[in-house]
Amino acid sequence: MFEKEKIIPFIKRNIWLAIKPIWLFFMFLLGLTLILALPLAIFEYSFSASELDVMECAFVVYLVIFTRNYILHCRSINAPKVRKIITPFVNFAHMNLLFTSVIALVMLAFKGSLELLLTVPIVDLGSVMFEIFIELIEEATLIPLFDFIFFFLSVLAFQYSFHKVSSFSYVFTSASDKGSNQKNFEGATIK
């Protein structure tokens, strides 16, 4: 029926097709949660405009402009609605996971806790990692330019979302246009 060389890639592809929607759903929820928590990070002490510094004001203005432009862009392309909605949240979650992991590893290496993690028994590893993670969260705000790096990476993640949603677009062709060449949003010719 199937050859062995065709079965293994078939199984891998179907496993990925089953896992990918679950992964995207959880990344969407994480990204949504992180974006909803942004006001708590920006307004650390009180919800007043006097607390905002220039960088935070610029980031808030950027978010407003990005949201407007993203909505206008999504109206002008033919991409699946689900992809239009989840793309910024998923990319923001990926950026946060990467940023948090790098900061945690650097801080663990400087504190010497990396060797501690290697000597802890597997059974206790989860509780020890949680304790270290709580300490890292408290110390992370002391890193110079931490907010600037976070806001800069957030802008990059949102701009990547703006670009990425275009790659999900497709062009509908009618029966009369089948022979003609059309171009999609990125300029590639569709026959």
Side-chain angles (χ1 to χ4, degrees):
M1 180 173 212
F2 285 114
E3 296 176 19
K4 184 179 179 182
E5 293 83 24
K6 293 181 181 179
I7 291 177
I8 294 174
F10 177 78
I11 291 171
K12 285 181 182 177
R13 190 186 79 215
N14 286 333
I15 289 173
W16 175 243
L17 288 175
I19 293 174
K20 186 177 179 182
I22 298 168
W23 172 258
L24 288 175
F25 177 73
F26 283 114
M27 288 297 104
F28 168 72
L29 289 180
L30 178 63
L32 182 64
T33 304
L34 291 169
I35 286 177
L36 292 176
L38 269 178
L40 298 176
I42 291 174
F43 299 102
E44 298 168 83
Y45 306 109
S46 66
F47 285 100
S48 65
S50 63
E51 183 198 345
L52 294 176
D53 60 2
V54 174
M55 184 175 45
E56 290 169 338
C57 287
F59 185 68
V60 170
V61 168
Y62 167 79
L63 282 179
V64 170
I65 292 171
F66 169 78
T67 304
R68 179 191 164 274
N69 289 341
Y70 187 78
I71 291 170
L72 292 175
H73 180 63
C74 285
R75 286 182 179 171
S76 68
I77 62 171
N78 292 327
K81 286 188 185 351
V82 172
R83 282 304 210 171
K84 290 177 184 179
I85 294 170
I86 71 169
T87 300
F89 298 107
V90 169
N91 289 330
F92 189 66
H94 286 159
M95 185 278 305
N96 272 292
L97 286 176
L98 180 66
F99 181 63
T100 307
S101 301
V102 168
I103 292 294
L105 285 175
V106 168
M107 289 181 70
L108 283 173
F110 280 125
K111 287 181 66 174
S113 302
L114 212 47
E115 291 83 19
L116 173 72
L117 286 178
L118 297 175
T119 59
V120 172
I122 296 289
V123 177
D124 299 331
L125 190 61
S127 62
V128 170
M129 285 180 67
F130 183 74
E131 291 172 11
I132 292 174
F133 182 72
I134 295 299
E135 289 176 24
L136 291 177
I137 289 175
E138 294 170 357
E139 294 175 7
T141 56
L142 302 176
I143 297 174
L145 298 174
F146 178 81
D147 289 338
F148 175 76
I149 295 168
F150 173 76
F151 292 144
F152 179 73
L153 291 176
S154 299
V155 167
L156 288 179
F158 287 130
Q159 286 304 113
Y160 179 71
S161 300
F162 193 84
H163 165 73
K164 187 70 175 170
V165 78
S166 299
S167 68
F168 298 122
S169 67
Y170 49 88
V171 176
F172 291 108
T173 58
S174 63
S176 63
D177 293 337
K178 287 208 181 217
S180 66
N181 292 335
Q182 294 183 353
K183 294 190 182 253
N184 67 2
F185 185 80
E186 295 157 336
T189 303
I190 300 173
K191 293 186 179 191

